[in-house]
Amino acid sequence: GAGVSQSPRYKVAKRGQDVALRCDPISGHVSLFWYQQALGQGPEFLTYFQNEAQLDKSGLPSDRFFAERPEGSVSTLKIQRTQQEDSAVYLCASSSGTHYGYTFGSGTRLTVV
Amino acid sequence: DQQVKQNSPSLSVQEGRISILNCDYTNSMFDYFLWYKKYPAEGPTFLISISSIKDKNEDGRFTVFLNKSAKHLSLHIVPSQPGDSAVYFCAASGNNQGGKLIFGQGTELSVKP
């Protein structure tokens, strides 16, 4: 597609529920990033893939967060046993390989109730 | 510890005048800086960037200035237009960051007609 596509756009989860957030990057983009943006804050890095390899997962806040990109294209961010502090917008971005101005999707707004 | 700081949460400017958005950083290893613009319910959009080997980069109405000794950068928008009203994020990266960006908290710019 022309841009980075994320689904769903909105997700309401009950506390303790597992969720899966999907990211379709721009076709051919090697690098894929996940960020978490809390209300009133800037995006915070979660994890980075180069093709199917997860090269950096230092930003994942706990072992309840897991990301994968098995075929080097679509990526899924999974959050297990969601908690209220997980409520945020989750942004996916992709780039052709450099860190110069990569393209973000519109995000998934997760609300945990 | 906030490595990239935008100390002004909001800025209001009259149409046609100059908008100046400021950003400070603490990590001297950062060597690339970017500005992103974000409209509500959309992902951040890359605006302009600057390498640490330069002190100025200009693109149309947008100019970014970098003062390495002060660890300070600014974005100038001249002339400001109502369509520039958005949240602006400053971001920084380094060679050893693998493409990871560290974002500031954002400044909401309002350009009044």
Side-chain angles (χ1 to χ4, degrees):
Chain A
V4 177
S5 178
Q6 292 188 246
S7 60
R9 285 298 308 273
Y10 303 92
K11 176 70 179 177
V12 178
K14 290 186 177 178
R15 191 169 50 182
Q17 186 179 351
D18 297 350
V19 298
L21 312 180
R22 178 187 168 105
C23 173
D24 280 89
I26 292 173
S27 179
H29 274 192
V30 168
S31 300
L32 185 145
F33 303 83
W34 284 97
Y35 284 79
Q36 179 191 60
Q37 185 177 14
L39 190 63
Q41 300 297 315
E44 290 195 10
F45 172 80
L46 292 177
T47 187
Y48 159 57
F49 290 87
Q50 187 169 327
N51 295 307
E52 68 277 4
Q54 189 174 20
L55 299 186
D56 187 347
K57 54 181 181 179
S58 62
L60 295 176
S62 77
D63 59 8
R64 296 186 296 102
F65 286 71
F66 172 76
E68 60 183 5
R69 193 186 185 198
E71 297 178 359
S73 178
V74 171
S75 177
T76 303
L77 176 67
K78 298 179 179 178
I79 309 173
Q80 297 177 324
R81 305 181 304 281
T82 53
Q83 301 177 6
Q84 283 192 316
E85 60 262 30
D86 300 335
S87 296
V89 175
Y90 291 85
L91 294 163
C92 176
S94 71
S95 81
S96 56
T98 71
H99 64 271
Y100 302 161
Y102 39 70
T103 303
F104 280 90
S106 297
T108 293
R109 179 177 294 278
L110 173 66
T111 303
V112 181
V113 297
Chain B
D1 180 35
Q2 194 82 25
Q3 296 187 69
V4 178
K5 295 181 184 180
Q6 293 176 257
N7 292 317
S8 298
S10 64
L11 175 67
S12 183
V13 170
Q14 205 68 31
E15 180 180 7
R17 306 296 285 266
I18 184 171
S19 294
I20 300 176
L21 297 102
N22 294 302
C23 178
D24 297 291
Y25 62 97
T26 57
N27 190 339
S28 58
M29 297 301 292
F30 288 148
D31 63 0
Y32 205 78
F33 304 89
L34 307 91
W35 283 94
Y36 280 82
K37 175 180 179 179
K38 186 182 183 303
Y39 292 119
E42 295 184 12
T45 303
F46 170 72
L47 194 57
I48 192 169
S49 63
I50 188 166
S51 164
S52 60
I53 63 173
K54 295 186 174 181
D55 55 17
K56 176 182 174 181
N57 188 27
E58 190 172 352
D59 183 2
R61 297 186 297 115
F62 303 91
T63 303
V64 55
F65 295 92
L66 175 62
N67 182 333
K68 283 181 62 180
S69 61
K71 293 191 177 67
H72 177 83
L73 64 154
S74 61
L75 174 68
H76 292 209
I77 307 174
V78 182
S80 302
Q81 299 173 355
D84 297 329
S85 297
V87 178
Y88 289 79
F89 292 99
C90 165
S93 185
N95 265 335
N96 62 347
Q97 298 284 326
K100 173 170 69 176
L101 294 180
I102 310 298
F103 283 85
Q105 309 95 308
T107 297
E108 183 171 11
L109 173 66
S110 175
V111 180
K112 301 191 182 304

